[in-house]
Amino acid sequence: MNTKRIGAFCIDFIITAIIYEIPFCISVMMPLLQGQSLTGTQMIVRVLGSSYIGILYLVLRDLPESGSIGKKILKLKIIDVHTKERASSKQRLIRNLFWLLGPLEIFAYIFCRKRLGDMTARTDVINEKCC
């Protein structure tokens, strides 16, 4: 199960990177390659805007009932730990807000075998055919 969950994370991470890179390339790289000079403020605003778009996907990716693209491909679902039913939209959003803590979320998973977001939202990720 952990392998599938890590695989789903890797798929979603690649998608997040692509979602970040597209506006970054259009708003920062293309102007620079075309010889335009960007002020420090313009550069910061454009990089932060691209980052915001990537982070937005990272936080909202599990809102569809089927979960993220990675979970859908690997046939995983997010459930409420008490009812064993699909987690609510609110639970799925809360669990993903914890990605804003970055490395803390990863360390929690490595050491506790459970994400901080899952602990707080009272969710778990299981195989879709299970339960």
Side-chain angles (χ1 to χ4, degrees):
M1 176 58 194
N2 285 336
T3 305
K4 285 179 78 172
R5 190 166 178 180
I6 291 168
F9 170 78
C10 290
I11 291 167
D12 291 329
F13 182 80
I14 290 168
I15 293 168
T16 302
I18 291 168
I19 288 172
Y20 162 80
E21 284 297 327
I22 291 171
F24 178 80
C25 286
I26 292 170
S27 67
V28 177
M29 295 306 295
M30 284 180 64
L32 292 176
L33 292 172
Q34 293 171 347
Q36 295 177 12
S37 68
L38 299 174
T39 66
T41 302
Q42 288 174 319
M43 183 75 78
I44 290 169
V45 167
R46 292 175 184 199
V47 169
L48 288 176
S50 299
S51 299
Y52 178 74
I53 292 168
I55 290 169
L56 199 59
Y57 172 75
L58 191 65
V59 170
L60 300 177
R61 67 188 173 172
D62 285 323
L63 281 186
E65 192 171 309
S66 60
S68 68
I69 294 169
K71 286 179 192 68
K72 190 169 186 166
I73 290 170
L74 294 177
K75 296 180 175 38
L76 299 172
K77 68 179 179 178
I78 304 166
I79 62 163
D80 181 300
V81 293
H82 298 298
T83 66
K84 304 298 183 205
E85 298 292 325
R86 284 198 186 270
S88 69
S89 296
K90 180 180 175 183
Q91 285 175 297
R92 294 190 307 267
L93 178 62
I94 289 169
R95 73 184 292 278
N96 281 350
L97 284 172
F98 278 80
W99 279 117
L100 299 176
L101 298 177
L104 289 177
E105 186 73 330
I106 294 168
F107 288 129
Y109 184 76
I110 290 169
F111 294 112
C112 302
R113 296 288 179 223
K114 192 145 179 116
R115 287 183 44 217
L116 295 172
D118 282 324
M119 289 185 249
T120 304
R122 295 188 173 101
T123 57
D124 200 3
V125 178
I126 63 167
N127 286 315
E128 209 169 69
K129 295 176 186 174
C130 179
C131 306

